[in-house]
Amino acid sequence: GRAPRVGPARAGCRCCAATMFPGGGAISQRQMREAQAMQQKMMEQQQRALQELHHPQLSVPPEHAMLAGDDVDVTRWHIVYPSYIDARKSQGDGRRVAKANAVPAPHYYEILLQCEKLGLPYRPEAKLYPRDFLDRVRVRVQLRNGAGELHNAAIPNKYHLLCELGRRIKESPERKNRETRLVGGGGGGGGGGG
């Protein structure tokens, strides 16, 4: 018999304009362009997240006594993405608490406000959540100081932190005002005649 032809790792298929890969897989030029466009979009989203983080109106609450400075090492602090407490998401999509303890569409800024009120040191970071690329900012939170003492005795671990964040954001005046504007923003209707 004839010896098998040894060629380049990828060879073009003339009939469907596809690129053949070792092992029999093929990807069309259209699929390759779509994958490149998706990768470009992800890079742009990450760049926008960095810009949003440094935007003066969105970065930190006005009273930010608990904000950790850039000189503080936060690598061992707990990570909180808004998806962790998002009631719209399933657990497979990243929600970490029961729906009763979650809140619809939380924003990282709401998490910062509640950490400030709970007396927990925090720092926002521009980092995409792998399960949801719309989650562009996460929050690092410290529960214990260097001596191992809790900053807030009511928050002994990350699960309690997430539940408390969800509950507090749901009950916050800012959230209630926002929901009132969304639900009741259409104005009142006329009454019926008698």
Side-chain angles (χ1 to χ4, degrees):
R2 207 164 87 187
R5 182 177 166 208
V6 177
R10 297 188 301 174
C13 176
R14 285 184 223 120
C15 64
C16 63
T19 301
M20 302 298 292
F21 290 92
I27 182 170
S28 70
Q29 290 177 353
R30 180 182 57 80
Q31 290 170 321
M32 195 174 293
R33 281 193 304 269
E34 288 173 357
Q36 289 170 344
M38 182 177 287
Q39 185 177 15
Q40 179 67 28
K41 186 177 178 182
M42 287 169 46
M43 289 171 58
E44 289 170 3
Q45 285 178 336
Q46 191 156 17
Q47 190 62 34
R48 277 197 305 270
L50 283 166
Q51 291 169 354
E52 179 181 319
L53 181 64
H54 294 98
H55 191 284
Q57 294 177 340
L58 293 178
S59 57
V60 294
E63 297 174 5
H64 49 274
M66 301 309 294
L67 175 67
D70 292 335
D71 57 333
V72 178
D73 180 20
V74 298
T75 54
R76 297 182 60 91
W77 292 16
H78 293 280
I79 295 171
V80 178
Y81 281 100
S83 286
Y84 290 178
I85 56 172
D86 193 340
R88 302 170 309 162
K89 297 190 179 299
S90 68
Q91 288 184 327
D93 290 333
R95 181 171 44 83
R96 301 266 180 105
V97 296
K99 282 197 175 186
N101 296 322
V103 60
H107 191 269
Y108 83 91
Y109 189 78
E110 294 176 297
I111 294 171
L112 301 184
L113 286 173
Q114 297 311 319
C115 287
E116 187 71 43
K117 291 175 183 176
L118 287 166
L120 300 172
Y122 61 88
R123 185 195 292 165
E125 295 180 322
K127 200 78 170 175
L128 293 175
Y129 184 44
R131 296 189 196 179
D132 183 358
F133 293 114
L134 296 177
D135 250 359
R136 300 177 308 201
V137 180
R138 69 184 184 185
V139 181
R140 291 270 191 174
V141 183
Q142 184 185 44
L143 300 184
R144 294 177 182 271
N145 62 21
E149 300 163 348
L150 289 169
H151 287 287
N152 186 329
I155 314 286
N157 56 43
K158 184 174 180 176
Y159 181 75
H160 281 82
L161 169 67
L162 296 176
C163 291
E164 190 67 14
L165 286 173
R167 186 185 67 76
R168 284 173 162 263
I169 291 171
K170 200 184 304 185
E171 295 173 357
S172 71
E174 298 88 2
R175 172 61 64 133
K176 289 182 178 175
N177 291 341
R178 185 174 117 183
E179 289 174 358
T180 303
R181 283 197 310 271
L182 291 175
V183 173

